[in-house]
């Protein structure tokens, strides 16, 4: 919680809007991500006004005021926009899916009230990149989202180990990840077990690589396996629908049929 030894709260800090849901006719229940207090759940009064609706959009960075009358009481949020990207994404459906997935994953997976300065900074950087030039992020954004998901797994205590082959100890030729341990495996180390391993796309090993839609899909499947098993499965919850929609969209780009048998062309 945001109280730190006192009986009331009144402070300001930058916060990323993760979600906003109706609360009555004019208000909203809003979840934000902060550096010092991690996930914070609060109420915005008058959020349904034109200005409020534009301000409390997922993906926006808001200079937020947090107020509560007592420890453990309802946190009231208000603020002003520092950076917004939603209006730029109307003609960028893939980028919009990325932003929605990142916000929903952070909202659903992170514990409330725990500081996460590294992940907060990384999330601000990612969403700023995605929203700055959607034409670029449509072509290059998915690898950054997969890398962010790796950072989320690390924050939750389920980080992948891609430093060396778990079988041979080699640091080159890494091509797979063990679905059991989350450790990298080289082509030589995989042997006859390669069909049981998860492909490791090259962009996770080199910042110079951006990959193809097929690589993006492999990356999303890789992180999705561990998110589904460790971050959500242990709480008996499925991956959020927004994350599934992102993977379906990338699958269509890669020409891989989704559950309905459709591809990008069909």
């Amino acid at each position: 919680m945001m109280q730190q030894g006192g009986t009331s709260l009144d402070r300001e800090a930058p916060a990323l809007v993760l979600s906003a849901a109706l609360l009555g006719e004019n208000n909203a229940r809003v979840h934000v991500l902060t550096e010092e207090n991690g996930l914070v759940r609060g109420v915005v009064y008058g959020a349904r006004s034109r200005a409020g609706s534009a301000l409390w959009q997922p993906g926006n960075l808001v200079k937020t005021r947090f107020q509560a009358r007592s420890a453990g009481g309802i946190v009231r949020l208000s603020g002003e926009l520092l950076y917004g990207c939603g209006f730029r994404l109307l003609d960028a459906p893939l980028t919009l899916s990325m932003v929605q997935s990142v916000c929903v994953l952070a909202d659903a997976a992170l514990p409330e009230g725990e500081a996460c300065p590294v992940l907060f900074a990384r999330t601000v950087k990612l969403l700023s990149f995605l929203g700055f030039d959607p034409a670029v992020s449509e072509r290059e954004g998915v690898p950054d989202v997969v890398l962010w998901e790796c950072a989320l797994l690390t924050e939750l205590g389920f980080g992948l180990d891609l430093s060396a082959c778990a079988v041979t100890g080699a640091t080159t030729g890494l091509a797979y990840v063990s679905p059991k341990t989350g450790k990298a495996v080289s082509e030589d180390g995989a042997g006859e077990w390669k069909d049981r391993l998860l492909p490791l796309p090259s962009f996770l090993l080199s910042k110079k690589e951006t990959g193809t839609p097929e690589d993006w899909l492999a990356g999303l499947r890789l992180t999705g396996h561990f998110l589904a098993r460790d971050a959500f499965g242990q709480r008996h919850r499925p991956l959020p629908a927004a994350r599934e929609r992102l993977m379906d969209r990338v699958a269509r780009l890669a020409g891989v049929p989704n559950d309905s048998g459709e591809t990008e062309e069909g």
Side-chain angles (χ1 to χ4, degrees):
M1 300 300 293
M2 297 198 68
Q3 286 71 25
Q4 299 183 14
T7 58
S8 64
L9 165 73
D10 192 340
R11 64 183 292 264
E12 286 188 340
L16 279 167
V17 182
L18 300 180
S19 66
L22 282 175
L23 184 64
E25 294 184 2
N26 299 313
N27 309 322
R29 183 179 292 107
V30 176
H31 297 177
V32 297
L33 182 64
T34 68
E35 179 179 18
E36 184 177 340
N37 295 100
L39 178 65
V40 177
R41 299 184 174 112
V43 173
V44 176
Y45 294 97
R48 301 306 297 169
S49 66
R50 178 177 296 182
S53 296
L55 178 62
W56 302 104
Q57 287 290 322
N60 283 356
L61 182 64
V62 176
K63 182 181 179 182
T64 305
R65 186 177 184 183
F66 303 86
Q67 296 174 293
R69 293 183 177 179
S70 61
I74 294 175
V75 179
R76 178 173 179 171
L77 308 178
S78 58
E80 59 186 71
L81 185 66
L82 293 175
Y83 178 80
C85 62
F87 67 94
R88 298 187 179 98
L89 305 183
L90 297 178
D91 297 319
L94 177 58
T95 302
L96 180 59
S97 289
M98 288 186 253
V99 171
Q100 291 172 337
S101 180
V102 167
C103 290
V104 170
L105 282 174
D107 191 14
L110 290 171
E112 186 175 6
E114 294 188 11
C116 55
V118 174
L119 187 69
F120 175 77
R122 188 157 191 158
T123 309
V124 170
K125 183 178 179 180
L126 172 62
L127 294 179
S128 298
F129 165 69
L130 293 177
F132 181 73
D133 188 343
V136 173
S137 54
E138 289 275 297
R139 300 190 306 268
E140 302 177 6
V142 176
D144 288 324
V145 171
V146 176
L147 286 164
W148 177 86
E149 290 184 349
C150 288
L152 176 63
L153 285 166
T154 298
E155 182 72 29
L156 296 171
F158 306 118
L160 306 182
D161 182 357
L162 308 181
S163 59
C165 175
V167 179
T168 68
T171 57
T172 59
L174 304 178
Y176 304 97
V177 174
S178 166
K180 292 184 178 180
T181 66
K183 295 182 178 181
V185 180
S186 67
E187 188 72 45
D188 292 339
E192 63 184 40
W193 302 98
K194 65 174 60 179
D195 291 341
R196 301 186 182 184
L197 302 175
L198 297 166
L200 173 60
S202 59
F203 68 77
L204 285 178
L205 301 173
S206 172
K207 294 181 179 180
K208 297 179 181 180
E209 299 284 342
T210 56
T212 65
E214 291 80 4
D215 297 324
W216 304 348
L217 182 60
L220 288 170
R221 284 174 171 166
L222 173 62
T223 49
H225 169 81
F226 294 101
L227 286 168
R229 188 191 71 181
D230 298 327
F232 291 91
Q234 291 190 8
R235 292 181 287 168
H236 305 289
R237 296 172 60 185
L239 274 178
R243 175 50 163 77
E244 299 286 11
R245 287 194 296 270
L246 173 60
M247 193 153 79
D248 286 345
R249 188 175 290 279
V250 173
R252 292 196 297 271
L253 283 176
V256 176
N258 58 21
D259 292 338
S260 65
E262 297 177 343
T263 63
E264 183 70 10
E265 292 75 26

